[in-house]
Amino acid sequence: MGVNVRLVLIVIIGCGITVQKESENGDSSIKPSIAIVGAGISGLSTARRLIELGVDEFDIYEGADRIGGRIHAIPYKDGYLQMGAQFINGAENPLYKIANRLGLIADIVSDTAHVDNAKYVYGNQKVDPKDIATFLEFTQKLDPKYRKIAKFDEKTARRYTFKEIFTMDYMNFLKQRNVTIDQRNVFDSLVRSFRSYWEFEWAADWSTLSVHVLKEWNDYGPECESFATNKIGFKAILDDISHPIPRHNFKFQTRVENIELNQDTGKLRITTNYGKVRGEYDYVIVTSSLGVLKKYHHKMFTPPLPRQKIEAIEKIGFGGSCKVFFEWEQPFWTNETYSIVPLPVKGMMGKEKLDTFEEETTVLQVMDWAPNVLSAWYAGRGHQYIDNLSEEELKVKMTKLMREMYNDPNIPEPSKIIRTTLTKNELLLGSYSYMTQVQALSRISHSQLAIPVKLEGRPKILFAGEATHHRLFQTTIGGFLSGRREADRAFSDFQRNLNISKNCMDSSDAKLQDSKIFDFSKSLTVSGSETKLI
């Protein structure tokens, strides 16, 4: 074999050409084959972005029978009860623009509105309203204080949880006052309300929530403000995002159990609850919740995920923050009520110890468009506790609490309870991610979850979802943006590889023209990386 022939073969084989089809005019018509795991907002935004890029060869695997994932709008009267997302953080993001275009923005609300505008109820307990005012004055200074620590004192912020740093401030607060035992018990009860503020916001048990989160998270909007959506809310947002996606691309009630990367071919095979899927994919984009990855990553990926990826999955927090809607035939509260803070106090009403329901039921908010409904918020350890109670238990416990706090034995049981149980849903296993103390001390960013699994430098298994966004984790915005990010990553990689292949082919053609291989009596043809004499 001559030198020129060998040179051509080296060029062609070295390209590793993977082109399978090409249009007659020479322009590439190849599109990547992509699987999307999950039809929450991240999966939907991934699919929407792929369509915008001209890619339509994708499948969306969703274990439930609906879109939305942790966003779940349940029809109620002439609107929807937003079991998941209800607020939009900041205006400098695409979700706000969608909501604004659709006329879904109802109001600008403060993160502390449910406490600032609350009616504290405590029945016939000997609670002095002045003590409540004193405590609120004390806690109002803490939010800006902790934000300043997070911004300027990184060592302290990474070291302490919110519970730890608050406990130091609270002890100083008590030392500065000559409080009675009854006053101390009242203040301890008010601490529950302050605790719930942090736990609601971050879907975390504040005993593990790092103060450093206040520096990492940023929506580029005014601090402690967000936009409330109206009674249609995220139902319309999901419909708008998903509208261009063909229905046949969805594989509902199909749960992905394993993603296998063939390290020889670079192709991916998926196994679902129905068995191994026929065909292979160029890329798989995983949008499963961090809760699902925590529980199932060791079974879900073949070969196993890299060590750094597993470390991020294990150390980044995933918690709970949920709403339970209690409906009464007629409200027992006044029309002016914005929210209700029940304040059972240890040592009063003959109670030396409060039960868990009393400790975790810290605020009930009146629905502005359904004034006979109270929305009770539960977070931290309270989320899982509430999920494990039956509806009958919830009715009995809520009725007892309201009768005591309003000192009215005639308050009826709720007529209806509307809820979902996220922590018991194997497809979700909680609400959203947060920054743990262990994560902060380990200097792990949420963006570490976004690092794809690569083969020979190319991304093959990609990760989207709120937990993968570096500054908007725990938000629908972070989920939305991360889906588009990974669609772009897969598409860019495919195009780059296609261009390399095309350049190799062009180079091969040029070498063929320049060489003298046609001096042979037999012509040489090239097919992929194979060489035949005919």
Side-chain angles (χ1 to χ4, degrees):
M1 185 181 293
V3 174
N4 287 334
V5 175
R6 288 199 299 272
L7 179 62
V8 173
L9 295 182
I10 290 170
V11 170
I12 294 175
I13 294 171
C15 288
I17 297 172
T18 59
V19 176
Q20 298 173 0
K21 59 181 179 178
E22 193 169 356
S23 61
E24 292 182 359
N25 61 11
D27 295 327
S28 174
S29 62
I30 301 175
K31 296 179 182 179
S33 176
I34 298 176
I36 301 170
V37 181
I41 196 166
S42 301
L44 296 177
S45 69
T46 302
R48 175 71 176 260
R49 179 58 178 159
L50 289 175
I51 289 173
E52 292 171 3
L53 293 168
V55 177
D56 53 14
E57 294 183 14
F58 61 83
D59 296 313
I60 306 174
Y61 293 92
E62 171 54 56
D65 58 359
R66 61 175 181 83
I67 65 171
R70 286 165 277 173
I71 302 173
H72 192 183
I74 295 180
Y76 182 80
K77 294 185 178 179
D78 61 342
Y80 294 86
L81 298 177
Q82 308 292 333
M83 301 303 304
Q86 182 178 342
F87 302 96
I88 297 175
N89 298 90
E92 300 300 319
N93 64 79
L95 282 195
Y96 175 84
K97 294 175 182 177
I98 293 173
N100 193 45
R101 170 169 54 83
L102 298 175
L104 303 174
I105 302 297
D107 199 5
I108 300 175
V109 296
S110 166
D111 293 346
T112 59
H114 61 285
V115 175
D116 298 337
N117 302 320
K119 175 180 176 59
Y120 287 80
V121 291
Y122 39 83
N124 61 4
Q125 299 174 118
K126 295 180 179 178
V127 175
D128 188 341
K130 292 181 181 179
D131 288 335
I132 297 177
T134 298
F135 184 83
L136 292 178
E137 182 182 0
F138 155 63
T139 56
Q140 283 171 357
K141 302 173 184 177
L142 297 183
D143 189 296
K145 176 182 177 179
Y146 297 159
R147 291 181 186 276
K148 187 175 181 180
I149 289 173
K151 187 175 182 180
F152 298 108
D153 187 354
E154 183 174 337
K155 183 177 180 181
T156 298
R158 288 186 184 275
R159 177 182 177 185
Y160 290 104
T161 66
F162 278 96
K163 182 178 181 180
E164 289 170 339
I165 203 165
F166 170 77
T167 299
M168 291 187 288
D169 286 323
Y170 184 51
M171 290 298 104
N172 288 332
F173 167 79
L174 294 175
K175 285 180 182 178
Q176 293 169 6
R177 290 161 180 81
N178 187 22
V179 299
T180 65
I181 294 177
D182 285 345
Q183 282 181 307
R184 170 64 190 267
N185 287 338
V186 170
F187 290 144
D188 285 350
S189 296
L190 289 164
V191 167
R192 296 196 303 269
S193 181
F194 183 75
R195 164 182 61 84
S196 68
Y197 160 63
W198 294 103
E199 295 191 337
F200 294 160
E201 282 298 302
W202 303 99
D205 185 324
W206 75 334
S207 66
T208 62
L209 176 63
S210 171
V211 176
H212 185 63
V213 74
L214 294 176
K215 182 177 181 180
E216 291 283 303
W217 191 92
N218 190 354
D219 64 3
Y220 295 155
E223 290 181 351
C224 302
E225 278 189 4
S226 56
F227 295 93
T229 55
N230 63 17
K231 61 185 176 182
I232 306 301
F234 273 82
K235 169 65 167 63
I237 293 174
L238 288 179
D239 289 345
D240 186 81
I241 295 169
S242 64
H243 178 71
I245 306 171
R247 297 299 98 179
H248 67 263
N249 287 44
F250 289 93
K251 315 296 180 187
F252 287 112
Q253 294 183 304
T254 306
R255 178 175 179 172
V256 172
E257 296 181 347
N258 183 259
I259 301 165
E260 181 181 0
L261 173 60
N262 187 318
Q263 298 189 66
D264 293 324
T265 66
K267 297 292 184 177
L268 295 126
R269 296 290 302 271
I270 280 180
T271 302
T272 74
N273 50 311
Y274 296 111
K276 187 161 287 191
V277 174
R278 294 181 63 183
E280 298 177 318
Y281 295 98
D282 296 307
Y283 307 92
V284 175
I285 301 177
V286 179
T287 73
S288 307
S289 78
L290 177 57
V292 169
L293 292 179
K294 281 180 177 290
K295 186 170 182 178
Y296 293 109
H297 73 81
H298 61 290
K299 296 180 180 179
M300 200 171 173
F301 300 95
T302 304
L305 293 175
R307 180 185 58 80
Q308 284 187 321
K309 173 75 71 174
I310 293 174
E311 182 184 23
I313 289 172
E314 291 177 346
K315 290 185 177 180
I316 295 174
F318 190 75
S321 180
C322 71
K323 288 166 279 188
V324 179
F325 295 92
F326 293 86
E327 176 194 78
W328 276 267
E329 296 294 340
Q330 295 293 330
F332 56 82
W333 54 90
T334 65
N335 292 335
E336 295 76 27
T337 303
Y338 178 83
S339 61
I340 301 167
V341 174
L343 198 66
V345 179
K346 182 182 70 172
M348 299 185 184
M349 297 188 302
K351 294 185 177 182
E352 290 306 314
K353 184 178 180 181
L354 303 181
D355 67 26
T356 305
F357 185 82
E358 291 171 321
E359 290 182 337
E360 297 300 328
T361 305
T362 58
V363 63
L364 299 97
Q365 196 162 354
V366 178
M367 297 287 295
D368 56 352
W369 59 274
N372 62 318
V373 175
L374 293 179
S375 172
W377 292 70
Y378 296 94
R381 66 169 188 147
H383 188 174
Q384 190 164 37
Y385 166 75
I386 291 297
D387 279 358
N388 286 321
L389 292 179
S390 68
E391 290 191 6
E392 187 56 38
E393 287 174 316
L394 282 172
K395 284 183 179 182
V396 170
K397 289 180 179 292
M398 182 59 75
T399 303
K400 181 176 180 293
L401 181 60
M402 290 298 99
R403 286 176 177 176
E404 289 178 346
M405 295 300 96
Y406 275 87
N407 196 26
D408 183 356
N410 296 317
I411 291 177
E413 277 194 352
S415 55
K416 189 176 184 180
I417 290 178
I418 304 165
R419 64 166 176 166
T420 56
T421 52
L422 288 179
T423 63
K424 298 176 73 174
N425 186 331
E426 285 293 306
L427 301 174
L428 305 172
L429 294 171
S431 52
Y432 45 82
S433 65
Y434 67 94
M435 175 169 281
T436 64
Q437 182 184 44
V438 173
Q439 175 191 350
L441 290 171
S442 301
R443 297 184 177 273
I444 294 174
S445 167
H446 273 64
S447 60
Q448 192 165 314
L449 284 176
I451 299 173
V453 173
K454 295 182 179 181
L455 181 63
E456 296 180 353
R458 295 186 59 196
K460 303 305 294 183
I461 304 175
L462 302 86
F463 295 83
E466 54 82 17
T468 71
H469 199 280
H470 65 289
R471 66 174 177 86
L472 284 167
F473 46 91
Q474 76 165 215
T475 69
T476 53
I477 305 163
F480 179 87
L481 292 173
S482 68
R484 295 179 67 84
R485 179 195 69 212
E486 297 309 314
D488 285 339
R489 193 198 301 265
F491 183 76
S492 295
D493 176 76
F494 188 81
Q495 289 294 104
R496 184 166 51 251
N497 188 63
L498 203 61
N499 289 335
I500 291 172
S501 298
K502 185 177 184 301
N503 290 337
C504 282
M505 293 178 70
D506 292 342
S507 175
S508 300
D509 289 342
K511 292 292 183 181
L512 283 168
Q513 294 296 326
D514 293 340
S515 69
K516 297 180 180 179
I517 61 175
F518 293 109
D519 290 343
F520 287 96
S521 60
K522 294 184 179 182
S523 300
L524 180 69
T525 65
V526 180
S527 173
S529 60
E530 297 180 359
T531 309
K532 299 178 182 177
L533 290 175
I534 57 173

